[in-house]
Amino acid sequence: MLLIVRTARHRYIVRREDVAALRAFTRIASYHQPGDEGRTSIIVELGPLLDPADISVMQRRHALIIPLRRRTIALLVDAVDNLVDHAVVQPLPPLLRERLREPWATGVLMVDEQPVVQLDVRAIARSILLRRARDAEQK
């Protein structure tokens, strides 16, 4: 199954099996997942990560929960919608894939006659951890 996730300015598609859970999130609430004692959660806005101008002003958000070995990543989006199981995602052509700064986009799907990029949220979560580790080493 695929999910359509919406940020303030864009729509993306993610594979449902890459997301362990979906949680409601408010800006004033802190994120804690039961059973996560000892694991540090990192909360990141997906919109600005992909497009610096994609900043949400919504108070109520959705968190895509991606557990990794020692940390849980919560990617914040404005909305999440289900999409049919049998959608055919077209892989990105090799020339385009090679030109991407980050290997996070894996394909494209036409939704309502508009192309929507499919994201690999597990790769995004791993990149976030690597950046945090690099930043910590530089301090």
Side-chain angles (χ1 to χ4, degrees):
M1 175 181 284
L2 298 173
L3 301 172
I4 295 177
V5 297
R6 298 174 191 270
T7 60
R9 298 180 70 178
H10 303 287
R11 294 187 303 176
Y12 301 100
I13 291 179
V14 300
R15 294 179 340 150
R16 177 60 180 105
E17 57 266 21
D18 290 343
V19 178
L22 297 169
R23 301 261 192 261
F25 186 91
T26 58
R27 290 192 189 276
I28 57 172
S30 63
Y31 169 75
H32 176 73
Q33 184 174 349
D36 246 4
E37 292 77 18
R39 288 177 71 167
T40 306
S41 299
I42 298 172
I43 302 167
V44 177
E45 298 262 356
L46 184 62
L49 182 66
L50 301 171
D51 173 4
D54 193 358
I55 299 170
S56 178
V57 295
M58 293 182 67
Q59 293 298 312
R60 184 169 170 81
R61 311 293 298 288
H62 297 273
L64 307 174
I65 309 303
I66 295 90
L68 298 176
R69 275 190 188 175
R70 295 187 180 138
R71 301 252 175 123
T72 298
I73 307 296
L75 297 173
L76 299 183
V77 297
D78 287 354
V80 178
D81 301 319
N82 286 335
L83 192 63
V84 295
D85 290 328
H86 300 46
V88 179
V89 177
Q90 299 298 316
L92 294 179
L95 181 62
L96 179 58
R97 208 173 39 237
E98 292 168 4
R99 300 224 186 277
L100 294 176
R101 183 177 51 133
E102 298 284 351
W104 299 339
T106 59
V108 176
L109 178 68
M110 295 300 286
V111 177
D112 300 327
E113 298 183 24
Q114 296 291 320
V116 179
V117 174
Q118 181 180 19
L119 298 175
D120 182 345
V121 292
R122 295 198 58 78
I124 292 171
R126 287 189 299 270
S127 292
I128 290 167
L129 280 182
L130 286 172
R131 285 182 187 170
R132 294 282 171 115
R134 243 183 280 133
D135 292 347
E137 287 175 4
Q138 291 177 355
K139 288 184 179 180

